[in-house]
Amino acid sequence: MMWNTDDDDDHFQIPPSSSQLSLRKPLRPINGSISHHRPPPRKKPRLSRNPGKENIAPAPEFSSEPCLSSGFYPQGSSSTPDCSLLDSIPSSVDDCSAGDSGEPFCSLAAETEEEDVLVDGKEKGECFKANREGYSGNSMEARLLKSRIRLRFEDGIDEEEDESESELDVLIKLCSEGGECSSSIGKDDDSIQCPLCSMDISGLSEEQRHVHTNNCLDDTQPPEQGSLKKCDKSSFIEESVDDPVQHPQLVNDLSPVIKWVRSLGLAKYEDVFLREEIDWDTLQSLTEEDLLSIGITSLGPRKKIVNALSTLREETFAQSLSTSSSVTERQRERSTNRKASETKKPTANKLITEFFPGQATDGTKIRKLPKEPVTEQSCRRAAVRRNGNNGKSKVVPQWNCVPGTPFRVDAFKYLTRDCCHWFLTHFHLDHYQGLTKSFSHGKIYCSLITAKLVNIKIGIPWERLQVLHLGQKVSIAGVDVTCFDANHCPGSIMIRFEPANGKAVLHTGDFRYSEEMLNYLIGSPISSLVLDTTYCNPQYDFPKQEAVIQFVVESIQAEAFNPKTLFLIGSYTIGKERLFLEVARVLREKIYINPAKLKLLECLGFSKEDMQWFTVKEEESHIHVVPLWTLASFKRLKHIANRYTNRYSLIVAFSPTGWTSGKSKKKSPGRRLQQGTIIRYEVPYSEHSSFTELKEFVQKVSPEVIIPSVNNDGPDSAAAMVSMLLT
DNA sequence: GCGATCAGGT
DNA sequence: CACACCTGATCGC
C-alpha cells in the first residue's frame, strides 16, 4: 500500500453505533480523538419514517467475529426460499453483465434509451469532394476542424468566403449550382412545383399538395427512395427539405413532414402522419408519447423518430442563431457549425449516403494533426466517435504518443501498422478499448497484473505480451523504459521513457499521487509529462483514500445496529479493491464477491492473507461487492431491496467515486442520503489525483512540457489547465 | 451465430 | 459533472 495511515488533518463524523465494533487494525483509533462535527445519522427518526413497514429489531451486540452468529445471517440461509432469490441478484460486476439485462434494476437504460441513429463516418464521408485522406468526417476532430478549416470544393466554392454558411448551406448551394435540380429550390418566383412531375401546384392547399406529390411518388417510383436515386443533385434537395427554417419556401412544397418521415426510412408510417394532419411545426413538438398515441407502437421506429426530432430541433435552433446578425458572428458560426455538424449528421448524412454513394463528406478529406492535443473536448470521448476508419483512426491524440519515440500508450483505438510497441498503463476499458484478441500490431507492454487480465479477459496470447516489472529499466527499440506503480488500480503503471535524444518522457497513465512516487522520479529530469488531468480543476479536492475508507468503516459500524442490514460497496471491474479489502480487514468480516470477480481478484496479486477476506458464499457475509452502476440511483437500489425483503430490512450502499466531491462539497469524506429503508452514501474515493495532488506532483517533477490526457471543459484549453497547475 | 464495433446511456 | 462501464443495434465474417 502506498498510502500512509497517519493523515490527521481530516475530521469526519463518527456515527455512533449502538455497540462499537472493535477494530483489529484501525486506520485511526476510534475514540475520543475524532471530532463529531457533523450530526450523526438519525436512527430513530429514520425508522419512524416508515412505521409498520419494517420492524427493525433492536440492535444486538455487534460481534466482531467473522461469520457472525449474532443474527446477521439466518441460519441455513443458503437453502431458504428468500436466499434463492439472491441468486438472481447481480452481486458483482460479472453477474450483472452476464445475465441481468432483464432485471429491473439493470435495465434502466432501456427505460430511458434514445434511439441511436447510426452514423457511418465512411459513408458520410462520401458526400463531399475534398482532399482525401480517409479521415472520418464524423470524428470530433473533424467537427472541430470544420470550424477552423475551410472546406474546398472542386466546383469552386471557396470556404474562405463562406464562413457564414453551415454545412447544410454548402450542400444546398452545391446542389443548386448544379442547375439540374428540378424542385423549387433556388427559384425566385412564387410558383410551387411538384418536385416530381414539375406541375404547378401553387393553387393547391398544403394537404392537397401532399396528396399530389404522394401520388406522384406512388405512381412513378419504386418504394422508398427510388426517386431520389435518380439524380444526385436533386437528392440533395430532397435532403435539404428537412430544413424549412433555412428554406422556408420549401415548407409548402412536397410535404416536408412526409419527406422527413421517408428520409428516416419510415415510409410505412407516412400515412399515420397524414392521417393525423401533422404539419412541420407540430412535428417538431411531438413527444414520444404522442408518437405512441398516434399509432407508432414499434419501439425502434418510435425511438428513431424521437431522436431525429431532437436533432431537428437542435438544427433549427442552430440555424436561428446563425441567421441572426451579431458582432460575434464568427464565433457563433463556429459553434453553430459544430453543433450542426454534430447533430445534423445522424439524419442528414444517413440520407445523403443512402442516395449518393460515391461522394465524400467534408471532414473525411481533411486530415490535420491537431496542434494542441486536446483541442477536442475530451480526447477519450472524441476517440470513440473517431472510428470511421475501420474502427481505428489514424490521428492519434498527443497524449497517446511518446515524444521522441514511435511508441504508443493506451492507443488501441488508433492501431496503425507503423508502430509495433504498444504500452498499456492499466486494465480499464477506456484505456484498452480497441484491443481485441486479433491484435497483430506488435508487442504489448504492461505490468504483470495487466498482462494477466489482458490474457484472460481479452484473449491476447502471452507471446504478444511483454511484462514490465516495477522499477526495472529495460531497453526497447533503443529507448530506456522504466515503470512505476501509478497507485490507480491494481496493475496500473506510469512509465518513464528515456529516448536517445535525452528528452525523457513520463507518462502517468491514470494515477493517484503519492509521495512515494517521488522516490522513483526525482533525480531524473523529465522533459515531457503526459499527465492524467481527470481532476485538474480546483473544485476537485477530495480527501485521502484512507480517510474515506475510515469513513466507510465507521458508517458501516454505525448503521449495523440493525442485524438485517445489507451493505453494498460499489466497485469497477478492477478498482476500489482497497476500499472493500480494508473494510473487511478492519471489521474482520468477510466480503461477498461472486466467483467471476474472485477469479479476477486472483489476478491482482493480493496476498493469501488478503484473499481470505473474500468469500463466494453469500450467506457468509452481509457486505457485498457490486458493480458501481447498480448503486447509481435509489431506483436501482429499491429493486435490489425488493429482492431481499425477507432477509434484509435495510440496505446501505456505498458509491465510491471521485466526482462526489465536486463544487461545494469540499473535503467531506462522504455524504449520506436516505430514502425509506435505503441509505446511500456517496464517498469521494478517488483513484485519480486531486487538483492539489496534481499541483504538487507537477511541481516536484517540474517538466518542460505538460501534455494533458483529459481536457476538462471548464478551462477551455490545455494551456489554461496547465497554467492552473503551475500557479 | 458470433465477435467486433458503435451510439447512447448511467 | 465524469468515472468506467453497460446495453442494444449493427456490421462483417
Side-chain angles (χ1 to χ4, degrees):
Chain A
M1 295 295 167
M2 284 190 129
W3 33 275
N4 56 32
T5 56
D6 56 2
D7 174 41
D8 59 1
D9 59 0
D10 286 309
H11 296 275
F12 38 80
Q13 146 201 14
I14 303 290
S17 54
S18 56
S19 57
Q20 197 86 202
L21 187 68
S22 67
L23 300 179
R24 182 183 62 111
K25 178 193 158 194
L27 288 162
R28 174 134 69 96
I30 299 189
N31 54 31
S33 71
I34 296 162
S35 71
H36 294 237
H37 72 281
R38 294 174 58 213
R42 311 239 185 284
K43 292 169 194 165
K44 292 281 182 187
R46 169 153 49 89
L47 297 175
S48 66
R49 246 176 254 161
N50 299 288
K53 182 167 182 184
E54 304 291 345
N55 241 337
I56 299 174
E61 275 303 300
F62 194 128
S63 163
S64 63
E65 293 301 312
C67 303
L68 300 170
S69 56
S70 61
F72 265 107
Y73 315 104
Q75 295 303 313
S77 58
S78 63
S79 58
T80 58
D82 55 307
C83 200
S84 65
L85 277 176
L86 301 177
D87 295 334
S88 60
I89 298 294
S91 297
S92 84
V93 175
D94 298 83
D95 269 351
C96 188
S97 59
D100 264 301
S101 58
E103 297 299 331
F105 66 89
C106 278
S107 60
L108 282 189
E111 294 164 28
T112 56
E113 71 188 325
E114 292 273 324
E115 165 72 13
D116 53 324
V117 178
L118 196 87
V119 179
D120 183 317
K122 262 189 296 186
E123 286 184 341
K124 277 196 310 187
E126 296 173 356
C127 299
F128 288 150
K129 295 175 181 172
N131 19 329
R132 297 169 194 280
E133 293 189 32
Y135 180 62
S136 165
N138 191 32
S139 75
M140 184 66 81
E141 277 163 22
R143 292 174 202 164
L144 294 169
L145 284 170
K146 230 173 284 164
S147 64
R148 284 182 299 175
I149 302 170
R150 306 293 152 239
L151 307 179
R152 294 184 179 276
F153 300 98
E154 288 179 356
D155 53 359
I157 299 175
D158 187 335
E159 281 294 293
E160 293 295 348
E161 301 165 9
D162 275 321
E163 257 188 55
S164 63
E165 288 183 292
S166 71
E167 188 181 358
L168 192 58
D169 284 313
V170 176
L171 275 173
I172 302 299
K173 193 164 180 176
L174 183 64
C175 169
S176 56
E177 280 179 5
E180 6 172 334
C181 305
S182 60
S183 91
S184 53
I185 279 196
K187 298 206 173 191
D188 291 332
D189 62 35
D190 293 323
S191 73
I192 298 168
Q193 293 180 315
C194 168
L196 294 158
C197 69
S198 297
M199 188 180 125
D200 188 338
I201 52 172
S202 318
L204 303 183
S205 71
E206 185 169 341
E207 187 60 28
Q208 288 169 319
R209 287 176 203 149
H210 296 175
V211 174
H212 172 94
T213 48
N214 278 312
N215 285 341
C216 280
L217 277 169
D218 293 341
D219 290 347
T220 60
Q221 305 305 329
E224 298 174 69
Q225 300 92 7
S227 67
L228 305 179
K229 286 181 178 161
K230 282 186 169 178
C231 155
D232 286 356
K233 306 267 174 160
S234 67
S235 308
F236 270 122
I237 291 173
E238 298 292 313
E239 161 60 17
S240 71
V241 169
D242 73 2
D243 192 349
V245 174
Q246 192 173 0
H247 302 283
Q249 75 271 26
L250 293 178
V251 173
N252 292 329
D253 203 338
L254 175 62
S255 163
V257 174
I258 298 308
K259 287 184 176 183
W260 185 82
V261 171
R262 288 183 186 184
S263 76
L264 297 176
L266 298 172
K268 60 184 279 199
Y269 291 101
E270 65 188 56
D271 288 346
V272 174
F273 286 83
L274 276 178
R275 187 184 68 225
E276 298 294 326
E277 300 184 355
I278 291 165
D279 61 22
W280 187 253
D281 287 336
T282 310
L283 175 74
Q284 298 190 48
S285 62
L286 290 179
T287 65
E288 185 171 356
E289 291 71 32
D290 296 329
L291 294 170
L292 189 61
S293 69
I294 65 175
I296 302 173
T297 51
S298 302
L299 181 66
R302 195 168 69 241
K303 292 290 185 187
K304 192 170 191 173
I305 293 171
V306 168
N307 192 44
L309 280 174
S310 138
T311 303
L312 196 57
R313 289 183 203 113
E314 289 189 52
E315 283 173 30
T316 305
F317 178 69
Q319 290 296 336
S320 71
L321 278 183
S322 68
T323 49
S324 68
S325 63
S326 159
V327 266
T328 58
E329 188 67 46
R330 190 189 179 97
Q331 264 184 313
R332 182 168 291 174
E333 184 61 32
R334 288 182 178 191
S335 71
T336 303
N337 272 349
R338 188 183 313 173
K339 184 148 196 166
S341 60
E342 282 171 356
T343 58
K344 199 172 290 176
K345 293 204 167 177
T347 45
N349 282 289
K350 190 166 188 180
L351 274 169
I352 291 166
T353 54
E354 278 170 18
F355 304 153
F356 309 107
Q359 291 190 328
T361 200
D362 49 356
T364 41
K365 304 311 158 214
I366 295 167
R367 181 177 163 207
K368 181 181 171 192
L369 281 165
K371 270 187 183 154
E372 293 140 3
V374 208
T375 22
E376 303 95 325
Q377 291 176 4
S378 159
C379 285
R380 300 178 190 186
R381 193 151 302 168
V384 174
R385 299 198 178 86
R386 198 177 289 134
N387 295 345
N389 186 11
N390 200 20
K392 279 87 188 177
S393 165
K394 301 251 189 302
V395 182
V396 185
Q398 201 175 336
W399 75 270
N400 295 112
C401 301
V402 182
T405 79
F407 302 161
R408 299 283 150 78
V409 180
D410 298 342
F412 299 98
K413 276 177 287 200
Y414 315 100
L415 290 176
T416 53
R417 293 285 168 194
D418 59 0
C419 171
C420 54
H421 304 286
W422 302 82
F423 292 80
L424 177 57
T425 60
H426 63 287
F427 194 72
H428 274 163
L429 187 66
D430 51 335
H431 288 254
Y432 66 76
Q433 201 164 49
L435 180 58
T436 65
K437 67 179 170 204
S438 59
F439 174 84
S440 60
H441 295 68
K443 281 263 182 194
I444 299 170
Y445 302 87
C446 57
S447 68
L448 178 61
I449 288 173
T450 303
K452 284 181 186 171
L453 294 169
V454 164
N455 173 252
I456 288 175
K457 289 289 197 180
I458 302 178
I460 303 288
W462 278 102
E463 306 89 82
R464 293 229 167 263
L465 294 164
Q466 181 75 52
V467 171
L468 300 174
H469 297 285
L470 296 182
Q472 282 184 17
K473 187 179 282 190
V474 292
S475 178
I476 299 169
V479 179
D480 283 344
V481 177
T482 321
C483 66
F484 312 101
D485 189 343
N487 195 30
H488 176 65
C489 65
S492 63
I493 51 172
M494 52 173 67
I495 311 169
R496 182 174 63 210
F497 300 91
E498 295 169 280
N501 66 11
K503 298 197 165 196
V505 179
L506 178 63
H507 198 300
T508 66
D510 283 353
F511 84 113
R512 175 103 198 227
Y513 172 77
S514 89
E515 285 181 17
E516 200 171 324
M517 288 169 181
L518 302 175
N519 298 336
Y520 313 118
L521 299 172
I522 284 179
S524 169
I526 298 295
S527 177
S528 300
L529 175 65
V530 184
L531 185 67
D532 167 22
T533 47
T534 301
Y535 292 120
C536 185
N537 190 305
Q539 70 173 292
Y540 297 114
D541 187 14
F542 28 73
K544 297 208 179 298
Q545 287 178 348
E546 58 268 30
V548 180
I549 290 172
Q550 184 148 349
F551 175 82
V552 171
V553 166
E554 288 158 7
S555 300
I556 290 176
Q557 291 177 269
E559 305 287 357
F561 70 96
N562 175 2
K564 292 180 78 179
T565 301
L566 172 65
F567 293 96
L568 302 171
I569 300 178
S571 164
Y572 292 132
T573 300
I574 61 170
K576 324 287 185 190
E577 289 80 9
R578 200 174 283 165
L579 173 60
F580 57 79
L581 181 59
E582 213 56 26
V583 165
R585 275 201 196 124
V586 173
L587 298 180
R588 296 181 61 88
E589 280 235 37
K590 287 198 178 192
I591 304 257
Y592 168 79
I593 55 174
N594 82 337
K597 179 93 177 170
L598 179 67
K599 195 179 167 197
L600 202 139
L601 287 177
E602 282 165 353
C603 295
L604 304 186
F606 286 113
S607 67
K608 248 190 176 145
E609 194 209 338
D610 286 341
M611 292 302 289
Q612 69 167 333
W613 294 112
F614 303 129
T615 176
V616 291
K617 293 178 188 162
E618 201 186 48
E619 67 274 13
E620 284 188 9
S621 174
H622 70 310
I623 306 175
H624 294 187
V625 171
V626 297
L628 200 51
W629 49 95
T630 65
L631 311 179
S633 68
F634 277 102
K635 190 174 175 182
R636 290 182 178 210
L637 285 167
K638 271 170 193 153
H639 285 291
I640 297 177
N642 289 341
R643 295 177 166 273
Y644 282 92
T645 44
N646 291 335
R647 187 167 167 196
Y648 295 112
S649 59
L650 188 65
I651 305 274
V652 179
F654 293 89
S655 283
T657 162
W659 61 265
T660 300
S661 77
K663 309 250 176 196
S664 59
K665 287 163 211 159
K666 286 293 168 198
K667 253 188 151 180
S668 155
R671 66 169 175 158
R672 181 181 185 276
L673 308 161
Q674 180 170 7
Q675 278 187 19
T677 55
I678 297 170
I679 296 162
R680 185 164 161 265
Y681 281 89
E682 290 180 350
V683 292
Y685 184 89
S686 173
E687 294 186 322
H688 292 273
S689 305
S690 70
F691 181 71
T692 313
E693 291 166 339
L694 281 177
K695 272 180 80 165
E696 187 170 341
F697 182 73
V698 167
Q699 209 174 22
K700 294 274 165 56
V701 173
S702 85
E704 293 166 25
V705 179
I706 297 175
I707 299 165
S709 68
V710 178
N711 195 26
N712 302 313
D713 274 347
D716 63 2
S717 74
M721 188 150 42
V722 170
S723 75
M724 274 202 305
L725 281 175
L726 299 175
T727 53

